[in-house]
């Protein structure tokens, strides 16, 4: 993750205090609608609720999480795009909704780079390469050798066409120059279950969902897609360490508002978001669900989104990923 990294949170006081001082020109007078484009209970929803509470405390108004699902998150994001740019509607956008979906849907109806105002990053999660316990590969290098010896014969599961578990593995395949058959499922949970069962041999799942299966010995972790080893799996190397620099990828979430939201509103919401993310209780709760707190300025988020949009556009085009 360029510029915006989990290490950025260590410098939070220096980032927050000037922003807070500048941001006092906007004080909300009613509740703020915080749209989550996915169902309640998932990581994105949990993060929105965890950070929304201290944000409400600072803003002096309730921050009301609203789940608007459908079309891979597009329904919720489009609802925010078409809302008034007055500070009273926010969205928790994600890797998929902001930087992958624009390349998958011909009739998306909005452009995240043009139709939303970046406010700040909120969280990131690594992906982890796991294999069925019966696969005769104890390391990532051994797995790559096995795949190259049997091109197109091994398979991986994903949560569906165009999901992060699909696109991240396609990036891995492109960098490694290997041929692995894709088996899409209706969600990551059944894909992981079939990896455990051996129906498919491997998966690049998000760490929060894969970790219990790794800890239970039902799958073997061979690499993580972060820029450094993850604290939960200190013995598992990064993709760069196994010889695949360029295969780094994270699933992430960020707070945005409709395009043309006033700068004073953006400064204020960014300041309270970053302050919320600096609280030990918030950080502990996010870590508990497998999400790493990440902070940024609006400008850093805008630059990051442009880089991620370009990156995933290349992956989608080269892998010829389509959604029905």
């Amino acid at each position: 993750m360029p510029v915006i990294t989990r290490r950025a949170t260590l410098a939070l006081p220096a980032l927050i205090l000037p922003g807070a001082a500048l941001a006092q020109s906007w004080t909300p007078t009613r509740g703020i609608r915080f749209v989550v484009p996915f169902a309640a209970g998932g990581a994105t929803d949990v993060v929105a609720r965890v950070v929304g509470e201290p944000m409400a405390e600072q803003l002096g108004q309730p921050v009301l999480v609203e789940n608007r699902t459908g079309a891979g998150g597009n329904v919720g994001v489009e609802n925010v795009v078409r809302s008034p740019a007055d500070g009273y509607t926010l969205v928790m956008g994600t890797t998929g909704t902001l930087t992958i979906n624009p390349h998958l849907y011909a009739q998306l109806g909005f452009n995240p780079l043009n139709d939303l105002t970046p406010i700040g990053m909120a969280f990131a999660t690594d992906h982890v390469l796991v294999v069925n316990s019966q696969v005769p590969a104890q390391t990532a290098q051994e797995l790559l050798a096995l795949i190259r010896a049997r091109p197109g014969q091994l398979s991986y599961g994903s949560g569906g066409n165009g999901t992060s578990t699909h696109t991240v593995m396609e990036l891995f395949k492109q960098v490694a120059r290997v041929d692995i058959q894709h088996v899409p499922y209706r969600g990551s949970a059944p894909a992981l279950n079939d990896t455990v069962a051996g129906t498919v041999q491997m998966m690049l799942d998000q760490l929060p969902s894969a970790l219990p299966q790794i800890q239970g010995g039902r799958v073997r972790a061979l690499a993580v897609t972060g820029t450094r080893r993850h604290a939960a799996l200190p013995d598992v190397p990064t993709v760069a360490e196994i010889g695949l620099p360029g295969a780094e990828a994270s699933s992430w979430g960020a707070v945005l508002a409709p395009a043309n939201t006033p700068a004073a509103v953006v400064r204020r919401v960014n300041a309270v978001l970053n302050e919320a993310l600096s609280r030990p209780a918030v950080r502990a709760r996010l870590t508990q669900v497998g999400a790493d707190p990440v902070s940024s300025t609006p400008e850093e988020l805008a630059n990051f989104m442009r880089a991620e949009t370009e990156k995933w556009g290349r992956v989608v085009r080269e892998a010829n990923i389509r959604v029905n």
Side-chain angles (χ1 to χ4, degrees):
M1 193 179 285
V3 181
I4 304 171
T5 69
R6 281 159 284 192
R7 282 188 285 268
T9 58
L10 299 177
L12 265 175
L15 290 173
I16 292 172
L17 294 179
L22 289 169
Q24 297 305 316
S25 56
W26 184 70
T27 301
T29 57
R30 64 179 190 274
I32 294 171
R33 192 168 63 102
F34 196 179
V35 174
V36 172
F38 302 104
T44 307
D45 175 74
V46 170
V47 174
R49 294 177 190 277
V50 170
V51 301
E53 189 172 320
M55 289 175 66
E57 176 187 317
Q58 296 178 75
L59 291 169
Q61 296 291 339
V63 174
L64 307 170
V65 173
E66 178 181 314
N67 300 93
R68 280 186 173 257
T69 64
N74 294 336
V75 170
V77 176
E78 185 167 9
N79 175 266
V80 173
V81 164
R82 303 192 183 288
S83 297
D86 54 10
Y88 292 97
T89 302
L90 306 173
V91 65
M92 181 68 81
T94 62
T95 317
T97 57
L98 301 177
T99 65
I100 297 176
N101 286 0
H103 305 289
L104 297 176
Y105 294 85
Q107 304 296 326
L108 190 59
F110 62 91
N111 182 329
L113 295 177
N114 297 334
D115 299 332
L116 291 167
T117 298
I119 290 179
M121 287 288 290
F123 74 95
T125 62
D126 289 344
H127 287 244
V128 57
L129 176 63
V130 296
V131 296
N132 173 267
S133 59
Q134 300 304 310
V135 171
Q138 300 299 314
T139 67
Q141 289 86 349
E142 290 179 1
L143 178 65
L144 289 171
L146 180 64
I147 295 168
R148 287 168 179 144
R150 300 167 57 186
Q153 297 180 40
L154 301 181
S155 58
Y156 78 91
S158 82
N161 289 325
T163 62
S164 65
T165 51
H166 180 200
T167 54
V168 171
M169 179 59 99
E170 289 300 320
L171 173 63
F172 179 89
K173 286 170 55 180
Q174 290 169 14
V175 175
R177 299 181 182 276
V178 293
D179 182 8
I180 317 169
Q181 183 180 353
H182 175 220
V183 181
Y185 288 80
R186 291 183 179 273
S188 292
L192 184 59
N193 288 341
D194 269 12
T195 305
V196 172
T199 306
V200 294
Q201 286 75 49
M202 69 196 79
M203 184 177 181
L204 250 174
D205 198 12
Q206 292 186 12
L207 183 60
S209 55
L211 191 58
Q213 301 289 2
I214 296 168
Q215 293 170 334
R218 291 176 287 275
V219 291
R220 186 181 308 122
L222 300 184
V224 293
T225 61
T227 56
R228 65 183 188 276
R229 296 193 182 197
H230 198 280
L233 298 170
D235 297 327
V236 178
T238 66
V239 285
E241 288 177 312
I242 67 169
L244 299 177
E248 295 88 356
S250 293
S251 291
W252 47 268
V255 179
L256 303 96
N260 301 315
T261 296
V265 174
V266 174
R267 288 195 300 266
R268 182 77 194 280
V269 178
N270 174 263
V272 299
L273 171 64
N274 285 344
E275 198 281 336
L277 289 166
S278 74
R279 296 188 181 191
V282 170
R283 299 177 66 79
R285 176 62 179 135
L286 297 189
T287 301
Q288 183 182 18
V289 299
D292 295 319
V294 184
S295 63
S296 79
T297 66
E299 294 76 18
E300 287 172 333
L301 174 55
N303 291 335
F304 181 61
M305 284 176 57
R306 282 191 287 270
E308 286 279 281
T309 299
E310 181 179 348
K311 170 182 176 176
W312 293 117
R314 289 195 304 270
V315 172
V316 169
R317 288 191 298 273
E318 291 182 22
N320 195 29
I321 300 173
R322 300 178 184 276
V323 294
N324 297 325

